[in-house]
Amino acid sequence: MKKVLEVVISSKDSNKDLWSKSIESARNTIHTRDMSDDELIKIAMGSADPISFNTVIKLIYRFTRTNPNGHQGVECFFNSVDESPYSLSQWIEAIEFFSHWLDENKRTTPWPTLLGYLSCCTESPENKNIKHNLKHLLKDMLETYGYEG
């Protein structure tokens, strides 16, 4: 695992120390029964920066603390990505945006509900003829329809 993480960290352009600390903290925080090393690495590789990585890890961690089968949160995340036309990177970017939006509006939402809203965004009629950037699509959906989750 350590060698793979070194490869992940070295593939990132900047903030290598922050990346290292973030990945190490994630591995120490989320038990391997809830997130495998491979899943952790996939999220790190799909994250543009340590901040977006930490946001996703924080949300998954919250789910694992309130659910006896914490791995369901990770499975739900990767299944949502796999069932959409969007990349893991775009999902992570949108999740970070959504998390900030929730914070700014002094709101919280369960992890599966957040993922469900994003999945609905990917299937929206506004996204059928022209594939929009997922973060921008989410922003438009929040402005137009709000969020009840």
Side-chain angles (χ1 to χ4, degrees), residues 1 5 27 32 35-42:
M1 169 72 177
L5 288 178
R27 181 66 297 155
T32 54
M35 180 186 294
S36 71
D37 290 344
D38 289 342
E39 291 164 335
L40 179 71
I41 290 165
K42 281 171 85 173

